């Protein structure tokens, strides 16, 4: 729940959808980081940024704050870069057990 500039509460479809996206994303990310090998942790880090961007865009609409769009775009740009940094720093460990697709 948030507050509009006048002080009244703002709960609309946009903020509810953002809350649902964040709840599902945080649950999946925490599960991936806490219960898996290194390869799953790297993928969970990428998942967290992929789910935070749409949530910030929904919050931007819900609160009528265009500055949240800038933050979402910056996160969308830096999220994959962070994954590449992790992959570079952990290259030796990931070479033994690389991330793979299920098919």
């Amino acid at each position: 729940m948030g507050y509009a500039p006048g002080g009244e509460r703002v709960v609309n479809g946009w903020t509810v959808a953002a809350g649902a996206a964040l709840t599902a994303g945080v649950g999946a990310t925490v599960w991936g980081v806490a219960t898996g090998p290194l390869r799953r942790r790297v993928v969970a880090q990428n998942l967290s940024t992929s789910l935070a961007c749409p949530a910030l865009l929904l919050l931007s609409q819900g609160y009528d704050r265009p500055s949240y769009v800038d933050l979402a775009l910056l996160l969308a740009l830096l999220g994959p870069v962070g994954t590449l940094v992790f992959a570079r720093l952990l290259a030796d460990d990931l070479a033994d057990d690389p991330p793979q697709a299920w098919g």
Side-chain angles (χ1 to χ4, degrees):
M1 284 186 236
Y3 292 95
E8 65 274 358
R9 278 185 191 223
V10 175
V11 177
N12 52 30
W14 297 108
T15 57
V16 171
L22 285 175
T23 301
V26 167
T29 302
V30 168
W31 176 77
V33 169
T35 63
L38 181 62
R39 62 184 171 159
R40 185 182 296 165
R41 293 175 186 176
V42 172
V43 172
Q45 183 270 334
N46 198 13
L47 174 70
S48 68
T49 58
S50 299
L51 292 173
C53 291
L56 284 170
L57 291 174
L58 290 168
L59 287 173
S60 171
Q61 285 290 355
Y63 293 142
D64 196 25
R65 306 245 177 181
S67 61
Y68 290 177
V69 174
D70 297 338
L71 184 61
L73 292 175
L74 183 66
L75 187 60
L77 180 68
L78 294 178
V81 173
T83 302
L84 291 175
V85 168
F86 275 120
R88 175 79 172 142
L89 292 174
L90 303 171
D92 295 335
D93 297 328
L94 286 171
D96 299 332
D97 191 19
Q100 300 171 358
W102 286 6

